[in-house]
Amino acid sequence: MTKPATQTPNSAPTTDDPFLWLEDRTAKQSLGWVHRQNEITVGELQGDPSYQASFQTALDLMTAEDNIAVGAAKAGHVYNFWQDMTNVLGLWRRTTVASYKTEKPDWETIIDFDQLAAEEEIKWVFGGASRLYPDFNLCLVSMSPDGGDASEMREFDIATKSFVEGGFRAPASKSGFSWLDKDTVIVSAAFDEADKTESGYPRVIKLWKRDTKLEDATPIFEAQKEDLAVGAAVEYDGDRRYLVLARTLNFFASHIFLRLPSGENKQLPLPDDMTDTAIFRDQLVFGVRSAWTAPDDTVCKPDGLYSVDIAHWVATGAIGPVETLFEPAYRVSIAGIARTRDRLFVSLMDNVRGKVVVCERMDGNWSLKPVALPENGNVGISHAEQFGSSVSFSFTDFLTPSSIIWSDDNGETLATVKSQPARFDASPLISEQFEARSKDGTMIPYFVVRRRDQKGPVPTLLYGYGGFEVPLLPGYAGVRGKLWLEKGNAYVQACIRGGGEFGPAWHQAALKGNRQNGFDDFAAVAQDVVKRGIATASSLGIQGGSNGGLLTGVSLTQHPELFGAVIIEVPLLDMLRYAELPPGASWMAEYGDPSKPEDAKWLSAYSPYQHVDAAAAYPPVLLTTSTADDRVHPGHARKMAARLQEAGHARTLFFEETEGGHGGRGDRRPQAAQTAMKYVFLQRALTAKA
């Protein structure tokens, strides 16, 4: 492995970087390079005889009319966003709860985004809507012009199916909007540089009155420039209304304030690293990422749930006793919480399998009981109606199509109301869970999906993420089943440290200077897969996106001998410059600060871009990104591809979509095309190498 060529470990690269010009997102020179790369990759992969059928299969499954319409109930209606072959950009629509439960619901279109795009000649991508309590008729609709995170906001009236003439409207930005009341919008502002944090997110919260200009909105709360962001939300608890303000210091720490009727912003005397919060029956329910001793000497532990009387604190200023809802348990972590009017639901992961418990508060005490949901799969809370009693749950695993289990009575009575049809033949397949021993001895769980009668090594895809407390859970994927598993190939999903599979400690074990632990975990899983005879190194491909793209980029440069193909999607790769590419500064709590010598030392030790080695025997590589990605800058993937190619690694392909943002939102056709190209790439690289 070569030493970093363009910087010392204690300094970030500047103009010494020969491919710095590729960071200019829309420059003619950069886009010319992108166009040439795309031509090569499209010719190579879309020219493969198997591509067209793979593309059509992917598109058909992504836009199938019998896909589950996942929805959330509010005031007697279920709301859903839907895309298919006809509705390419999608419909925001609703139906009654009773109709939703039928085989063919009677949907009422709220906004037709294909029609809107035709009228305005902009391919608007729906980003969600904030609806006004209590009738939820007036909406603040977010729409992205290119699928990126920056969105325009417009006020919309569901009753008239139209945007409100002269109503609230704001240009595209990374700002946030929610209702305080019919004539007041809470704005988390990120319009100009004064409004933004260094990460490019909202820094100032303002109150914007109807019939006034946005620039005249009244500031009520500010964060520091170096903070990650601010946010605001109105929380209802029975007849009480709370305006919650958050100064988010980084991804894992915030100061939470309540805005009192007096106009004072009063900070809650609770730990900065609170997580999984909800206000329910006068109680603020919370978890913690690190142990915290409350004023009453209660020790709050990670992976537990606790509560304090927030109404009492507002009235008296005293935090009062801390109650325990849920005690931590080995390899059990909290995936999330949601509430109806009368119940609190807690989603749990028990050794990477889902469970849900329902909590009730009566006579000042908590009671918990499990919800009677299927076991040994991925169970989650699909929706919970805060002002009603409906709640729904999702169930899936690698071989079981997704289903929606609905309750109108707080989880007491359950009925499966939606089931996705099988998309591939799972009868010859088996799903298993194994463990690999990482370099430091930690046991790393992983899942394998393969043919039950597998006799020897086969082409195998290993997927990982390992960051930001995000867990990788079992899930049904029709496209993967049809384009990969049905061909006799295997799929592996690794639950490496850095993710959220086992709570905060699992994440923190690969945080900042400990990042190498997660990379070692992934390598250990790869080696274990080979040891078990599932694959050979040359028939094992890896794939990861975003932080997972960093994972596969590091895997390429540290262990090229372990893999036969590498897919690196919308990645971070230049870890000595990532904070210079907005919003990279927002991730310093995860990775570290490249401007600090100590942090730069560990970042430079693994940063893939600086470790490309001309002498290494790299397997085929496919890098993908999007010009419209305003979360992870396309410069990372562009520069890595250029450096690999310059170093003589001719089996490096690069593809950049022009729209869709970080998550590939919007038109399904480019998504299907890119998906098909990836499976063609894997099949070509790994076939006949088992």
Side-chain angles (χ1 to χ4, degrees), residues 320-350:
V322 173
E323 299 181 43
T324 300
L325 275 78
F326 183 80
E327 288 280 7
Y330 177 68
R331 287 214 161 181
V332 176
S333 59
I334 298 163
I337 58 178
R339 56 158 300 183
T340 60
R341 183 177 52 229
D342 300 315
R343 300 287 190 278
L344 184 74
F345 293 86
V346 183
S347 178
L348 302 172
M349 289 178 292
D350 186 346

Side-chain angles (χ1 to χ4, degrees), residues 286-301:
F286 66 96
V288 291
R289 291 185 171 91
S290 56
W292 176 69
T293 302
D296 68 350
D297 293 328
T298 299
V299 178
C300 301
K301 304 171 186 176

Side-chain angles (χ1 to χ4, degrees), residues 57-88:
T57 296
L59 184 60
D60 288 347
L61 292 178
M62 288 179 179
T63 59
E65 293 188 5
D66 56 1
N67 281 334
I68 289 181
V70 178
K74 281 187 183 294
H77 284 92
V78 176
Y79 292 79
N80 163 260
F81 180 68
W82 180 258
Q83 291 172 279
D84 57 26
M85 288 285 200
T86 304
N87 305 287
V88 175

Side-chain angles (χ1 to χ4, degrees), residues 245-288:
L245 308 172
R247 176 189 166 197
T248 305
L249 309 179
N250 56 54
F251 258 89
F252 314 111
S254 298
H255 292 163
I256 306 298
F257 296 77
L258 293 187
R259 186 166 180 84
L260 304 181
S262 64
E264 177 190 358
N265 299 327
K266 187 175 182 181
Q267 185 177 350
L268 280 163
L270 293 171
D272 292 349
D273 64 354
M274 279 196 308
T275 183
D276 301 310
T277 58
I279 297 175
F280 176 75
R281 295 291 174 92
D282 291 335
Q283 297 286 302
L284 173 65
V285 178
F286 66 96
V288 291

Side-chain angles (χ1 to χ4, degrees), residues 550 572-578 591 594 603 606-608 610:
L550 171 62
L572 290 88
L573 293 167
D574 184 350
M575 298 307 290
L576 298 182
R577 266 191 66 75
Y578 84 89
Y591 301 119
L603 288 164
Y606 70 76
S607 180
Q610 283 75 28

